[in-house]
Amino acid sequence: MRLWSLHPKYLDTRGLVALWREGLLAQAVLRGETRGYRHHPQLVRFRMSAAPLDAVAAYLGVVHGEATRRGYAFDPAKLRPPGAGIAIPVTTGQLAYEWQHLLAKLAVRDPAAYDRLRYLGAPDCHPLFRACEGGVEAWERPNSD
């Protein structure tokens, strides 16, 4: 499971579809609707928020918005309304780690996207997150996806 801290606008089609699917899985886990993935480290930051279900709903809302912008038909009925004013901190080190991880994936899967993005300085984070100084997050498992 990879719930990117990066804005979903950087993902290729395959990445965006996977993010939608994995975000829905995260939502099911946080609702207690599945037995698997309950202890997945990517869920730590959602669980630490004051309202985990609102946070994952806000996360998925942005993913859905990006998919809609691209003309994809992700089912909005799978979403619950997000709460207002939710923000989760993410470290600059985590963002840099994910950026390099994404670029490595794109170099193989979508060389044209890789060429467009590889010289971008500092990518935007997903709007749910607020960047703060720091290294790679403690919950990150290198090469976990």
Side-chain angles (χ1 to χ4, degrees), residues 5 85-92 95 125-133 137:
S5 306
I86 297 171
I88 296 176
V90 62
T91 60
T92 53
L95 291 168
C125 61
H126 185 291
L128 175 66
F129 299 109
R130 298 294 172 258
C132 59
E133 289 300 315
E137 299 280 1

Side-chain angles (χ1 to χ4, degrees), residues 17-89:
V17 170
L19 181 60
W20 176 250
R21 186 177 57 248
E22 291 167 1
L24 291 174
L25 173 60
Q27 179 175 257
V29 170
L30 293 172
R31 287 179 175 167
E33 298 172 347
T34 181
R35 297 175 81 187
Y37 292 93
R38 289 182 303 182
H39 304 291
H40 198 285
Q42 290 274 327
L43 298 176
V44 167
R45 57 194 171 168
F46 289 93
R47 284 197 172 104
M48 289 177 56
S49 73
L53 288 174
D54 286 341
V56 77
Y59 185 88
L60 281 167
V62 172
V63 175
H64 183 268
E66 178 61 22
T68 300
R69 185 187 71 76
R70 294 187 194 186
Y72 304 149
F74 290 7
D75 185 0
K78 296 183 184 280
L79 302 176
R80 65 187 293 271
I86 297 171
I88 296 176

